């Protein structure tokens, strides 16, 4: 029952969040699909099946981020949202204590940029940030913190580069928010970047015998899926589509077919490598799991290379006709 509940929660929350910023009806639908499957599949399996606490806490993180940004952007007003925000903040840290280091940094980043906001915006930001941080720290001190020695320590996670590469496709669209940023989406951009940097650094410089340090960056990736898709939508909508306009329709069809075949082959190879090494012990298993995403990366490279070749060839033919 828990996977069904968390799937529905994550899908509906991400859909509502994407709809706040998107102008395309497909973006919220894609956001709901990717949030449910994407970050979990990036480490080889559904998050919901591997970590029940991450599953439910991830939903609280999404709901908290949605309401938090709605409040500070002035999309919702009144006293009641702050009480709901406090309850969601309790769920964020109470569900998984590691979220304090990721979501907490996101809230602090919004508090810092409030210094440049107008007075009416500052009041909303101050109240929402203080409420969130007080609840974060209070829940952590009362429910999570203890004198018991915990296995999570400082260290350097050698598998971090491979881990970061696996979540990159889910967060790469934040570049679009950065490139085409505007004042109405400044909070979304700042919050997303803070989550991504804090989650990545915490995963890099912590060590857990069972590998639980991955949940720092996994939480960041989960929440950043929606902002990333908004950024991708902005990149597409602001592009001039010169590439497609200057290529013959027949070549466009051939290019799409070739790209689909390359993606299929790359996905099959990645899946086979992971399936045969997921439960493999020893250093060999670690190496296989680390290189499992490589066929997908190579597929992307070959698609880009093929597109460039087609474009260059088409330009030469166009100049010869002139």
């Amino acid at each position: 029952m828990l996977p069904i509940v968390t799937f529905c929660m994550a899908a509906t929350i991400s859909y509502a969040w994407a709809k706040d910023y998107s102008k395309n009806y497909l973006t919220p639908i894609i956001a709901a699909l990717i949030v449910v499957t994407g970050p979990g599949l990036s480490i080889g399996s559904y998050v919901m099946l591997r970590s029940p606490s991450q599953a439910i806490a991830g939903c609280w993180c999404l709901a908290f981020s949605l309401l938090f940004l709605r409040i500070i952007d002035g999309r919702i007003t009144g006293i009641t949202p702050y009480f709901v925000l406090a309850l969601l903040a309790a769920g964020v840290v109470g569900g998984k204590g590691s979220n304090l280091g990721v979501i907490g940094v996101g809230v602090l980043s919004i508090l810092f940029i409030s210094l440049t906001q107008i007075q009416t915006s500052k009041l909303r930001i101050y109240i929402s940030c203080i409420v969130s941080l007080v609840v974060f720290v209070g829940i952590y001190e009362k429910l999570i913190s203890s004198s018991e020695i915990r296995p999570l320590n400082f260290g350097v996670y050698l598998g971090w580069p491979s881990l970061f590469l696996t979540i990159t496709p889910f967060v790469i669209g934040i570049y679009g928010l950065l490139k085409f940023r505007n004042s109405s989406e400044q909070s979304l951009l700042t919050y997303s970047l803070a989550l991504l940097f804090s989650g990545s650094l915490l995963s890099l410089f912590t060590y857990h015998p069972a590998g639980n340090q991955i949940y720092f960056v996994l939480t960041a990736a989960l929440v950043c899926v929606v902002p990333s898709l908004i950024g991708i939508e902005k990149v597409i909508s602001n592009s001039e589509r010169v590439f497609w306009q200057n290529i013959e329709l027949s070549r466009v069809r051939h290019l799409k077919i070739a790209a689909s075949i390359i993606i299929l082959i790359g996905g099959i190879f990645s899946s086979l490598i992971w399936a045969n090494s997921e439960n493999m012990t020893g250093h060999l298993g670690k190496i296989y799991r680390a290189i499992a995403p490589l066929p997908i990366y190579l597929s992307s490279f070959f698609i880009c290379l093929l597109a460039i070749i087609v474009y260059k060839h088409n330009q030469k033919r166009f100049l010869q006709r002139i």
Side-chain angles (χ1 to χ4, degrees):
M1 182 60 71
L2 179 63
I4 297 176
V5 172
T6 52
F7 284 174
C8 293
M9 286 178 63
T12 53
I13 295 167
S14 57
Y15 181 90
W17 190 10
K19 203 169 183 180
D20 281 351
Y21 298 93
S22 176
K23 298 179 181 178
N24 191 313
Y25 75 97
L26 285 176
T27 304
I29 298 174
I30 297 173
L33 177 64
I34 293 180
V35 163
V36 169
T37 61
L41 290 176
S42 70
I43 59 168
S45 60
Y46 288 98
V47 180
M48 290 71 174
L49 302 182
R50 278 294 177 91
S51 175
S53 61
Q54 173 67 19
I56 193 67
C59 295
W60 298 139
C61 290
L62 288 169
F64 172 85
S65 302
L66 167 63
L67 182 59
F68 179 70
L69 290 173
R70 280 185 177 182
I71 291 174
I72 65 177
D73 288 340
R75 296 173 184 266
I76 187 172
T77 58
I79 301 297
T80 305
Y82 293 104
F83 289 102
V84 178
L85 187 69
L87 293 174
L88 292 174
V92 167
V93 178
K96 204 167 189 68
S98 59
N99 290 335
L100 174 62
V102 180
I103 305 298
V105 172
V107 173
L108 284 173
S109 68
I110 296 296
L111 189 59
F112 288 146
I113 68 165
S114 66
L115 301 175
T116 62
Q117 303 293 324
I118 61 176
Q119 192 62 35
T120 54
S121 298
K122 282 184 178 181
L123 182 61
R124 292 196 304 267
I125 294 174
Y126 288 162
I127 296 175
S128 57
C129 288
I130 291 172
V131 168
S132 302
L133 292 173
V134 168
V135 174
F136 284 163
V137 176
I139 292 295
Y140 186 85
E141 286 294 326
K142 293 295 183 182
L143 301 181
I144 308 297
S145 180
S146 67
S147 58
E148 180 184 352
I149 299 177
R150 298 180 180 275
L152 184 65
N153 295 304
F154 288 104
V156 178
Y157 179 36
L158 297 180
W160 184 86
S162 180
L163 173 64
F164 188 79
L165 284 175
T166 59
I167 63 102
T168 298
F170 306 112
V171 300
I172 192 67
I174 295 177
Y175 168 77
L177 287 177
L178 186 63
K179 183 175 178 61
F180 302 105
R181 60 181 177 271
N182 54 57
S183 57
S184 63
E185 296 170 348
Q186 182 62 38
S187 300
L188 179 67
L189 173 61
T190 303
Y191 184 74
S192 305
L193 287 175
L195 261 62
L196 183 59
F197 281 117
S198 61
S200 301
L201 291 176
L202 285 171
S203 289
L204 174 60
F205 293 113
T206 54
Y207 169 76
H208 190 279
N212 288 341
Q213 68 271 18
I214 68 172
Y215 289 113
F216 289 116
V217 73
L218 196 59
T219 296
L222 179 71
V223 179
C224 287
V225 165
V226 172
S228 177
L229 287 172
I230 300 302
I232 291 174
E233 180 184 309
K234 291 175 72 68
V235 170
I236 294 175
S237 63
N238 284 279
S239 65
E240 297 179 354
R241 303 179 184 275
V242 175
F243 176 78
W244 297 111
Q245 291 175 357
N246 290 335
I247 297 182
E248 298 173 1
L249 291 177
S250 60
R251 293 186 179 275
V252 172
R253 286 195 296 269
H254 294 157
L255 182 60
K256 289 181 177 179
I257 294 172
S260 300
I261 294 173
I262 292 173
I263 291 173
L264 180 62
I265 294 174
I268 290 174
F269 273 102
S270 289
S271 300
L272 289 175
I273 294 173
W274 184 271
N276 291 322
S277 62
E278 183 174 9
N279 299 315
M280 189 181 295
T281 58
H283 294 293
L284 187 60
K286 294 179 181 178
I287 294 173
Y288 280 147
R289 287 190 291 273
I291 66 174
L294 288 182
I296 294 295
Y297 304 142
L298 292 175
S299 299
S300 302
F301 172 77
F302 285 129
I303 290 172
C304 293
L305 183 62
L306 182 61
I308 292 172
I309 293 174
V310 172
Y311 181 76
K312 292 292 185 181
H313 181 70
N314 192 79
Q315 287 293 96
K316 289 181 180 180
R317 291 186 61 184
F318 179 75
L319 292 175
Q320 289 175 354
R321 290 176 184 177
I322 296 178

